[in-house]
Amino acid sequence: MSEKLVNALVNMKEAEAVQLTKDLLESGEDPLKILGACQEAMDTVGKRFEKGEYFLPELIMAGEMLNQISDIIKPKLKGEAAAKTLGKVIIGTVKGDIHDIGKDIVVFMLDVNGFEVVDLGIDVPVQKFVDTIKETGSKVLGLSGFLTLAYDSMKETVDAIKEAGLRDGIKIMIGGGQIDEKVKDFSGADAFGKDAMDAVKLAKGWIGG
Amino acid sequence: MEKTWEEMSAEEKQEDLFQRWLSPKDHDGNDIQFKSPEAEKSYKERVTRIKDAIQMKKLPDRVPACIFPGHYPIYYGGLTPHEAMYDYDKCYEAHKKFVLDFDPDMHTGSIVAGPGKVYEILDYKLYSWPGHGVAPEQTYQAVEGEYMTADEYDDLIDDPSHFFSHKYLPRVFGKLDSFPMLPNLTGILEIYGVAFNFIPYALPPVQEMLKALMEAGAEALKWAQVMGGFDEEMASLGYPSFLAGFTKAPFDTLGDTLRGTRGIMMDMFRRPDKLLDALDAITPIMIKMGVNGAKMFGRPLIFMPLHKGADGFMSDEQFKTFYWPSLKKVMLGLIDEGVVPLPAAEGGYNSRLDIVKDLPKGKTLWMMDQIDMFRAKETLGKNACLFGNIDLPMLSLGTPEEIKDYAKELIDKVGKGGGYIMANGAFFDQAKTENVKAFVDFSKEYGVYK
């Protein structure tokens, strides 16, 4: 039956996936195995996204189905689900910019690919990034931004990390609607990504490979 | 005898709107008095240049050189967006300096900042603006949300206007929260219905709301008089005002500010039929919005910012099912009324070029952002004039030399045979002055057709 669940999730059959989860739990299935099936399904969704078969709507729908299933399963879990992760990645939309859709997709894709993501949200002050790097010891930071003003905020953030003496210990990637090689050079980041799969590849290359 | 509007063909209507654009009027309907014979000559040459590029019937004298900025003129003029939203005269002067300094073939008015006070009076919640959620030196940004819930599709489809007044507007304007107390206007039938239907206007919350509306209206008019004066002065100096208004792709109307990105994308799976019905219901409204603007201002170009159909936002199949059919209907509806739609393909549109390419020739103008322009020329560009493609990272961080090299390539390849207007590819707030100057000046020099 968990094979069916994987298929339902991969094919965006929301009602079926939710029902199958309930049925599985009722039949005494181990909640961790159900989560495993979800993980398998999300891997496939991610691969289809990478191949250009799936796009934003499927990622949003997959995230939504995953949330619903997690809500159903959580009460049955007994704190044993601490899955091992590839590492911690900090993500946030830079100061002055409140766009979140691109950032959320990156968070989702990193998450389903096994990273622990610290999502700082939108309009994140420079100091907040610096503090979070110190607190978490994360080795990868992703800065998101949609507006041209984000170029400056990205640069300020990278500069502040340098000043705090943390630059050598962290890899920084940037992304957003109007980001390219030029903006990467200007901001002082290590790399830029065109989409969420780029973010996963970069993070894997740095800490998860 | 002259034909009435209804008797004209789409072709004749378009020509009529271009002719009206060539002879600009002031707010009382009188001919604009040009400041000099040179200004008049420049004005007519500029409109004709843009017209020839769009219609693709004859080669323009040169590639038109245009700038379609966002808040750039405000920063360039030394203002913060906050100042521009609250001091209309300063906003006017900043835009005037921008147009005179860069000397482009058109201008896009001075309305981008908008009147901050009007939004305050109405307690507008759809945007954060300088001093209200974002810093004074930053631009306003939309606050996404589900301002229409998933179970309200039938309400919207049955009566979009009533849905807006009774559900949507009270959610996005704090001061319009008493709209739902007002009866449906179509209930005012015969003498029996009159008195009952006017009782709600006596209720204190409704009167409070009406006061806010009157106050907002007075402030908006004050602002509009300054901004309308700008268009008139610019015309008198020889610079045509580019746009006559805007409308949207129905999918974006629903997705941007009603259901939100997440909401509409889940609706594609959860309730595809309702979504398609709603798109149909909105389509004629989007057509009228554009046509009314063009007729009122006497200019053919209607702006259409395209958002959720860009590369990566959905598959080509989803684009063909959910995005393109209603957008195409809106564009054809506008074209039928002589209007020239100006869709701005923000982001990438590379995989859509083959889908959108079959529009009637010489009837549309496409603003292109992160797009392979040379392939665009071979596909969409066979029927449509292309506009833009100088990208924002290049404008902000590049050098004039890089800009000129790319502009040369654009003029050589995309400008070949006409059907191209040089401009930036997306709206920009920040840029290097010398970079903006570079593509405008270079096009004037190098873009002359021989």
Side-chain angles (χ1 to χ4, degrees), chain A residues 1-11 16-17 20 24:
Chain A
M1 201 149 59
S2 77
E3 187 62 24
K4 271 193 188 161
L5 176 59
V6 174
N7 283 333
L9 286 166
V10 167
N11 295 309
E16 198 185 320
L20 280 167
L24 281 166

Side-chain angles (χ1 to χ4, degrees), chain B residues 2-13:
Chain B
E2 272 186 38
K3 285 183 183 173
T4 65
W5 185 260
E6 284 69 29
E7 289 165 346
M8 288 186 209
S9 66
E11 195 90 9
E12 288 166 333
K13 286 176 179 169

Side-chain angles (χ1 to χ4, degrees), chain B residues 291-307:
Chain B
V291 170
N292 291 346
K295 282 187 178 170
M296 185 163 75
F297 287 101
R299 298 193 282 269
L301 279 162
I302 290 292
F303 180 55
M304 302 185 74
L306 305 184
H307 296 146

Side-chain angles (χ1 to χ4, degrees), chain B residues 50-88:
Chain B
I50 292 168
K51 174 176 183 270
D52 289 342
I54 292 172
Q55 291 184 328
M56 302 171 83
K57 286 179 193 159
K58 63 194 253 276
L59 211 54
D61 59 347
R62 68 164 163 79
V63 171
C66 296
I67 314 173
F68 201 156
H71 282 69
Y72 178 72
I74 292 164
Y75 290 109
Y76 175 74
L79 300 184
T80 64
H82 182 267
E83 286 172 298
M85 289 181 87
Y86 287 87
D87 188 329
Y88 310 149

Side-chain angles (χ1 to χ4, degrees), chain B residues 318-331:
Chain B
Q318 288 162 337
F319 183 82
K320 281 190 240 174
T321 307
F322 293 104
Y323 196 90
W324 177 234
S326 50
L327 169 57
K328 187 177 180 185
K329 269 187 215 158
V330 172
M331 290 179 73

